[in-house]
Amino acid sequence: MSRLYIVGIGPGERAQMTPKAVEAINSSEVLCGYPVYLKLIEDLIREQKVVATPMRQEKKRCEIALREAVAGHVTAMVCSGDPGVYGMASLIFEMRESLGAGQVEIQVIAGITAANSAAAELGAPLNHDYAVISLSDLLTPWEVIEKRLALAAEADFVIALYNPSSRKRAGYLKRACEIILRYRDEGTLCGYVRNIARDGQETNILTLGELQNETVDMFTTVIIGSSNTRQLDGWMVTPRGYVL
Amino acid sequence: MSRLYIVGIGPGERAQMTPKAVEAINSSEVLCGYPVYLKLIEDLIREQKVVATPMRQEKKRCEIALREAVAGHVTAMVCSGDPGVYGMASLIFEMRESLGAGQVEIQVIAGITAANSAAAELGAPLNHDYAVISLSDLLTPWEVIEKRLALAAEADFVIALYNPSSRKRAGYLKRACEIILRYRDEGTLCGYVRNIARDGQETNILTLGELQNETVDMFTTVIIGSSNTRQLDGWMVTPRGYVL
């Protein structure tokens, strides 16, 4: 029996990865992950055994990691952003017992998740109450996503959207905007960041009306402002409420 | 004219602070912050001028930081967690122009915010859609907070609560639980972490019915599970939705 780290590497650049994450990767004998994420840490790979499984094979990836740990190998499951935000952490906890890995010591190592790293590039859009919603309906019924979008908009949360689009879900961002527009003004300030802290980073600040017709890809994080969010000299800012 | 970094140091331990944050502090001539946070990075303080202002003097603190930057000194505003989550980032953007600091180059450096660092200690409670709400009504009308709590509960978000209590707001967590209990079961799984990644860290997992009568302090972050959140071998886990 041994140890399994579930490691968040943050947005992508090494400067935004914590020493705790680096240390876990350095002290592991086996590294598991999605190929794109393992590529981001390739300079940390020395003698570790590397097991990469493609997208849609998350269960397989977690099974391999748990089996390696059960076999006595210190293992790290490498995730982008924070492993506890739409990452592999929950799945590992769920699969642990059935794989006879109840004795494996598990440690989750937080990373900076895309909502927060995107926010820093845009200014301070999450500086008041916010909601984080994934538009992927691979694992969540679309009706649930729609209900959450509507209630989050009604509550006037700033809303960070993960997985806003993919080839099979090209129209989802538009549908999400339409739902939010039932409660929010067309002029509501929005922003998005593509390839956060990676080569080719792009940021854009626009209105909700404009976002509705924007095409974004799966490497993009979208932030929809609350009714208080405003543009200040090119930055997207949600005031905390101080009287100036 | 010069540069102002708005720096997130994460939960507290150096191992969870990014190299980018360390570099900003090292390269600054002036460090501004709340005394407790400056204490957490005291080993990084060498020749920098240090300006600490107490709680409730946030505007003063931002003004000093902006004036130092205008005077040509590279300055860092040091915040715990993420400076863009209930931190000083928005206030600096708001005060910038009126203080004649329009030319100061501003960079926000994200840190791991309490919702995510607490989640890692509890297991994987934020592994599906979540909302972040502060219970402090110093800057936000309580009616707004109440409305957001109710709609977040109705939407079945996992809910992370910041500022769940203070001497003057001793009953606020109980009131929040009562609102959430209109939509959620008493058995809903909850957790909290006190002094995350600092000396004397305490974690607790309990039901919403129990949380209602729990006393927590202002150094505590509370996470209220969704209807899907469950306890797995002592961990608090919100499944992503994989069919096992």
Side-chain angles (χ1 to χ4, degrees), chain A residues 112-181:
Chain A
I112 296 173
T113 185
N116 300 284
S117 52
E121 300 296 333
L122 293 167
L126 302 185
N127 225 121
H128 208 302
D129 305 331
Y130 64 95
V132 175
I133 302 175
S134 167
L135 293 192
S136 169
D137 63 349
L138 285 176
L139 303 169
T140 305
W142 178 255
E143 301 69 49
V144 171
I145 299 170
E146 221 168 66
K147 183 182 175 191
R148 287 182 176 158
L149 287 167
L151 290 164
E154 189 181 348
D156 203 22
F157 282 116
V158 180
I159 303 172
L161 297 178
Y162 283 56
N163 306 308
S165 188
S166 76
R167 261 170 306 179
K168 289 194 182 160
R169 297 181 288 106
Y172 282 34
L173 178 60
K174 190 179 179 64
R175 288 163 70 183
C177 290
E178 281 165 3
I179 293 164
I180 295 168
L181 277 165

Side-chain angles (χ1 to χ4, degrees), chain A residues 112 116-117 120, chain B residues 8-10 79-87 108-114:
Chain A
I112 296 173
N116 300 284
S117 52
Chain B
I9 63 172
C79 300
S80 73
D82 186 309
V85 179
Y86 309 117
V108 180
I109 297 178
I112 296 173
T113 186

Side-chain angles (χ1 to χ4, degrees), chain A residues 5-241:
Chain A
Y5 296 108
I6 312 174
V7 181
I9 62 171
E13 62 178 350
R14 181 58 35 80
Q16 291 203 65
M17 185 171 165
T18 69
K20 196 169 178 176
V22 174
E23 171 60 24
I25 289 168
N26 282 339
S27 66
S28 291
E29 297 160 87
V30 182
L31 303 178
C32 298
Y34 175 58
V36 174
Y37 306 152
L38 291 169
K39 180 95 184 150
L40 290 170
I41 57 147
E42 62 184 354
D43 58 307
L44 293 177
I45 301 173
R46 291 186 188 86
E47 294 181 352
Q48 303 99 319
K49 174 176 163 184
V50 175
V51 185
T53 69
M55 205 172 292
R56 302 289 190 99
Q57 297 208 12
E58 289 83 9
K59 279 192 280 186
K60 184 81 193 156
R61 195 183 308 153
C62 291
E63 182 181 337
I64 292 168
L66 283 160
R67 289 201 191 286
E68 288 284 358
V70 168
H73 306 127
V74 181
T75 301
M77 168 63 80
V78 177
C79 301
S80 73
D82 187 307
V85 178
Y86 308 116
M88 293 295 103
S90 58
L91 188 53
I92 285 184
F93 285 118
E94 288 180 274
M95 292 177 69
R96 190 172 171 224
E97 201 145 351
S98 67
L99 289 175
Q103 299 307 311
V104 169
E105 199 181 314
I106 294 187
Q107 188 179 5
V108 180
I109 297 177
I112 296 173
T113 185
N116 300 284
S117 52
E121 300 296 333
L122 293 167
L126 302 185
N127 225 121
H128 208 302
D129 305 331
Y130 64 95
V132 175
I133 302 175
S134 167
L135 293 192
S136 169
D137 63 349
L138 285 176
L139 303 169
T140 305
W142 178 255
E143 301 69 49
V144 171
I145 299 170
E146 221 168 66
K147 183 182 175 191
R148 287 182 176 158
L149 287 167
L151 290 164
E154 189 181 348
D156 203 22
F157 282 116
V158 180
I159 303 172
L161 297 178
Y162 283 56
N163 306 308
S165 188
S166 76
R167 261 170 306 179
K168 289 194 182 160
R169 297 181 288 106
Y172 282 34
L173 178 60
K174 190 179 179 64
R175 288 163 70 183
C177 290
E178 281 165 3
I179 293 164
I180 295 168
L181 277 165
R182 291 181 208 148
Y183 304 90
R184 301 271 181 89
D185 217 75
E186 283 221 334
T188 300
L189 199 66
C190 300
Y192 64 79
V193 187
R194 182 171 181 271
N195 283 342
I196 309 167
R198 298 182 195 172
D199 287 342
Q201 173 179 306
E202 291 169 35
T203 64
N204 196 2
I205 292 181
L206 68 181
T207 66
L208 183 53
E210 291 164 345
L211 180 66
Q212 199 185 182
N213 298 309
E214 196 80 357
T215 302
V216 302
D217 67 14
M218 59 180 289
F219 302 106
T220 302
T221 303
V222 173
I223 300 182
I224 294 163
S226 74
S227 61
N228 287 318
T229 304
R230 61 197 67 165
Q231 188 160 7
L232 292 174
D233 200 18
W235 298 97
M236 181 182 178
V237 178
T238 305
R240 178 85 177 83

